[in-house]
Amino acid sequence: MRIRSHHVGVVCLLANFGDAAITLDLTSTDSIKKAASTVAFDLMKYYTGNNTGDVPGNLPDPYYWWEAGAMFGTMINYWYYTGDTTYNAVTKQALLHQAGDDGDYMPLNQTKTEGNDDQGFWGMAAMTAAETKFEDPPSGQPGWLALAQGVFNTQAARWDTSTCAGGLRWQIFTFNNGYNYKNSISNGCFFNLAARLALYTGNSTYSDWAVKTFDWMYGVGLMSPEYKIFDGTQNTDNCTAKDHNTWTYNAGIFLLGSATMYNYTNGSAIWQERVTGLLNASLVFFTDGVMYEPCESSKCNIDQRSFKAYFSRWLAATAEIAPFTHDTIMEKLASSATAAVKTCTAGNTGTQCGLRWTTGANDGSLGVGEQMAVLEIVQSNLVDTAPGWVSAVKGTGTSEGDVNAGSDSSSTADDLLVTPVTMGDRVGAGFLTALVLIGVVGGSATMIIS
Ligand SMILES: *[C@@H]1O[C@H](CO)[C@@H](O)[C@H](O)[C@H]1NC(C)=O
Ligand SMILES: *[C@@H]1O[C@H](CO)[C@@H](O)[C@H](O)[C@H]1NC(C)=O
Ligand SMILES: *[C@@H]1O[C@H](CO)[C@@H](O)[C@H](O)[C@H]1NC(C)=O
Ligand SMILES: *[C@@H]1O[C@H](CO)[C@@H](O)[C@H](O)[C@H]1NC(C)=O
Ligand SMILES: *[C@@H]1O[C@H](CO)[C@@H](O)[C@H](O)[C@H]1NC(C)=O
Ligand SMILES: *[C@@H]1O[C@H](CO)[C@@H](O)[C@H](O)[C@H]1NC(C)=O
Ligand SMILES: *[C@@H]1O[C@H](CO)[C@@H](O)[C@H](O)[C@H]1NC(C)=O
């Protein structure tokens, strides 16, 4: 123990909090909701974007912008599964504030850090809002469906056939590191969103893109014949070499996208086979029934500590829309949730959760990712009591859409994509420099504040 005798008071305090740790009875809906509420409270304590003078939708350092988008996706799900509206207002405010001038989650402030995957996480949060019938934005603001379509449209326009026969690059802007990388999570976000837009709207343009993206992933070798998903590949060798790291969220994002296509195609054999294969390949991320991220055997970075949140979220949604996977998935969600809450014994509330669920105790790793992951695994166990996703096709979904969202790119960061930055292009280059400067000033301000 690190705590010495002169800290006896602290030891007692910790012991008391230890007794107050979260109990979870999976046979009781109320118990699951109560546990989720405690974990959600500890998660939202990290959020400062609604404080006076702060920016709605941003998490403080060291969390990147994308993780805030991911977190608000979790908070929509929190409301959807538990019915607790406590965080709806801040969630809605954040999702609208970050939508950017064109309603496509391309806010100018994020130009320095925004890749296709970052934009994708916000887009999927908006999609979740449409699917769960989260309270609509006020009139005059784009609907949740339109925001998801805005992300889809900007990304479809970035499909890059100059190398590797297609795919999305990781980065959007040439000046950001990783522009030459084509990665699975960026293509996974696009695939997942396209499939869900197809199911919601019935528009086959979206399903065509989902098919095309899946085929590209397989063709280029980012998805193996055993349905393992690798991290990514550089276009500098035409995507020959691969980074073979595997992550839970890559398995999950392709699993749910495929399950959505399975549902959209009324249970086609090809998508059934893919869902079966992806689910089988997802089971490697469980040991004795408990979910873990491969990096947990060494060190996970800030981003990686949140990946189990999305894997849990997408497994639960898969269980619902591809019912043949239900029993296999629910068993894993139950055993993982039971293990996960045992880590929630730390921090100043005595209920903050840790990273490694397989250990049965808190490992001292605390943060937004850790909280979000435990919240998603706990609330996922309510999937059978949830009302189910709505859609325009079924006539139950009423979110306002705009098939052309995101295609009007005047005066936004999108300009950088269509403005050729050549030696003679002084306006383009000047705009670029100005943006980079804004980014630098923004970055310094953040550092001074924190
Ligand atoms: C911001 O939101 C949190 C979580 O919902 C809440 O506890 C807090 O009171 C809010 N702060 C302000 C200034 O509204
Ligand atoms: C961009 O940054 C400015 C300055 O911090 C802030 O006032 C504004 O709300 C931010 N916009 C978005 C969309 O985050
Ligand atoms: C690059 O890779 C793609 C996809 O694997 C392949 O179709 C194409 O022929 C390759 N191009 C070259 C020049 O090798
Ligand atoms: C699925 O079935 C519905 C109802 O029979 C039909 O309208 C729809 O076109 C089918 N979808 C596909 C992709 O075949
Ligand atoms: C299931 O996954 C395991 C582990 O990745 C793999 O060895 C096996 O081939 C897979 N089975 C099928 C039917 O895909
Ligand atoms: C599609 O999902 C719904 C639940 O939203 C489910 O009732 C239905 O059985 C699914 N369709 C197929 C073909 O599994
Ligand atoms: C389907 O989506 C595409 C792509 O956004 C759009 O161009 C087309 O108008 C849509 N079709 C219908 C019938 O809404």
Side-chain angles (χ1 to χ4, degrees), residues 262-263 266-267 320-321 323 394:
Y262 166 81
N263 199 291
N266 296 321
E320 182 176 334
I321 61 168
K394 289 192 232 171

Side-chain angles (χ1 to χ4, degrees), residues 81-363:
Y81 284 133
T82 66
D84 180 357
T85 58
T86 304
Y87 307 104
N88 285 14
V90 278
T91 298
K92 186 162 152 181
Q93 179 197 39
L95 284 165
L96 293 176
H97 192 81
Q98 292 300 325
D101 296 339
D102 286 335
D104 54 6
Y105 290 107
M106 292 284 293
L108 276 172
N109 290 352
Q110 302 303 331
T111 305
K112 251 192 359 165
T113 69
E114 184 169 353
N116 282 304
D117 46 358
D118 306 69
Q119 184 193 22
F121 269 89
W122 283 92
M124 290 184 292
M127 191 71 226
T128 302
E131 290 158 339
T132 59
K133 226 170 168 171
F134 187 64
E135 53 192 62
D136 283 320
S139 65
Q141 303 238 39
W144 304 126
L145 176 61
L147 290 168
Q149 288 169 315
V151 171
F152 171 87
N153 287 337
T154 56
Q155 298 200 340
R158 292 178 201 137
W159 187 260
D160 171 55
T161 52
S162 67
T163 53
C164 321
L168 283 182
R169 295 166 181 264
W170 176 21
Q171 292 302 320
I172 299 168
F173 301 109
T174 53
F175 52 79
N176 282 331
N177 279 338
Y179 186 66
N180 290 333
Y181 198 54
K182 291 192 174 180
N183 62 348
S184 294
I185 192 61
S186 293
N187 286 281
C189 288
F190 182 58
F191 168 67
N192 184 291
L193 192 58
R196 288 161 65 183
L197 283 168
L199 185 64
Y200 188 98
T201 65
N203 183 333
S204 61
T205 304
Y206 301 122
S207 55
D208 290 348
W209 274 103
V211 169
K212 182 169 167 162
T213 308
F214 190 99
D215 289 350
W216 179 78
M217 283 288 299
Y218 187 78
V220 80
L222 282 176
M223 184 187 294
S224 78
E226 298 80 35
Y227 294 96
K228 274 192 197 158
I229 316 279
F230 305 122
D231 186 84
T233 177
Q234 301 283 345
N235 75 355
T236 41
D237 66 354
N238 193 36
C239 297
T240 304
K242 309 285 177 324
D243 174 333
H244 284 109
N245 278 303
T246 59
W247 306 105
T248 57
Y249 78 156
N250 277 331
I253 207 164
F254 282 96
L255 176 63
L256 175 60
S258 299
T260 307
M261 289 302 291
Y262 166 81
N263 199 291
Y264 172 75
T265 57
N266 296 321
S268 67
I270 177 94
W271 287 106
Q272 174 157 7
E273 182 187 315
R274 289 165 174 178
V275 171
T276 305
L278 284 160
L279 179 57
N280 176 54
S282 295
L283 299 180
V284 305
F285 299 109
F286 293 84
T287 179
D288 294 331
V290 180
M291 187 187 293
Y292 73 96
E293 193 67 42
C295 59
E296 287 172 19
S297 57
S298 50
K299 190 172 162 48
C300 301
N301 70 23
I302 298 271
D303 287 351
Q304 293 157 2
R305 289 176 214 165
S306 70
F307 290 175
K308 296 199 301 287
Y310 324 124
F311 188 41
S312 304
R313 179 197 294 182
W314 295 326
L315 280 168
T318 297
E320 182 176 334
I321 61 168
F324 75 92
T325 65
H326 178 273
D327 294 355
T328 306
I329 289 177
M330 293 317 291
E331 187 196 321
K332 301 290 183 207
L333 296 181
S335 46
S336 295
T338 301
V341 295
K342 291 190 179 138
T343 72
C344 304
T345 57
N348 53 7
T349 54
T351 48
Q352 274 189 269
C353 309
L355 176 66
R356 294 174 177 82
W357 304 347
T358 52
T359 63
N362 189 283
D363 61 356

